[in-house]
Amino acid sequence: MQFISNGIWRGNLGLGLAERELSCLLAVAAGLSDKEIAKQDGLSPRSIKGRIESCMHKLGVFKRPALVAEAFRRGLISPLLIALCAILVGQSATNENPLNRIRRPGERRVETRVAVRRIETALTA
């Protein structure tokens, strides 16, 4: 499967949209207007509007936020942030950081008592 990326979004080709339609959809997901997309692609804003309307027709929606939501729901587009989060979660699971370890039930009370003592000494000083 081939992918197209635009900013923080990644789109899957071959799932019902043409490459140019998908690139416009990714730009809409990134928050760009027709004029900004046209300037980026070197086309007229009217042709960009036509591509976006074609995407809306294929997905059965009538507004831009609904277009992005429907494309995300169908798996046509996905934020690259999800892939980054998955990598970070995988690394944190193997990390031996003492803050990430599972605590025993009694340790929390000791930590709370120590914190309360620190606060009390700071208030009395």
Side-chain angles (χ1 to χ4, degrees), residues 1-2 5 10 27 30 44 46 50 53 55 59 62 71 73 75-76 87 99 108 110-112 117-118:
M1 187 172 282
Q2 294 179 340
S5 63
R10 182 179 77 174
S44 72
R46 179 65 188 123
E53 287 175 354
C55 290
L59 297 180
F62 304 103
R73 188 186 69 77
L76 294 171
I87 292 170
L99 296 176
R108 185 171 214 88
V110 172
E111 292 174 1
T112 305
R117 285 185 192 151
R118 287 182 186 155

Side-chain angles (χ1 to χ4, degrees), residues 10-45:
R10 182 179 77 174
N12 299 330
L13 280 173
L15 295 177
L17 294 179
E19 182 177 354
R20 291 182 177 179
E21 292 171 343
L22 185 60
S23 68
C24 288
L25 174 60
L26 291 173
V28 168
L32 299 177
S33 67
D34 288 349
K35 289 181 181 179
E36 293 169 335
I37 299 168
K39 192 174 187 180
Q40 182 181 18
D41 291 347
L43 300 168
S44 72

Side-chain angles (χ1 to χ4, degrees), residues 56-74:
M56 288 180 180
H57 177 72
K58 287 181 179 180
L59 297 180
V61 295
F62 304 103
K63 297 191 177 195
R64 286 176 181 238
L67 174 67
V68 173
E70 183 65 20
F72 184 70
R73 188 186 69 77
R74 291 187 186 193

Side-chain angles (χ1 to χ4, degrees), residues 50-111:
R51 288 180 187 170
I52 293 170
E53 287 175 354
S54 175
C55 290
M56 288 180 180
H57 177 72
K58 287 181 179 180
L59 297 180
V61 295
F62 304 103
K63 297 191 177 195
R64 286 176 181 238
L67 174 67
V68 173
E70 183 65 20
F72 184 70
R73 188 186 69 77
R74 291 187 186 193
L76 294 171
I77 62 172
S78 63
L80 290 175
L81 184 63
I82 291 175
L84 179 63
C85 288
I87 292 170
L88 292 176
V89 167
Q91 287 180 346
S92 67
T94 60
N95 193 359
E96 294 297 325
N97 189 351
L99 296 176
N100 292 339
R101 68 182 173 87
I102 299 173
R103 296 180 179 162
R104 286 177 250 146
E107 290 180 7
R108 185 171 214 88
R109 280 183 273 154
V110 172
E111 292 174 1

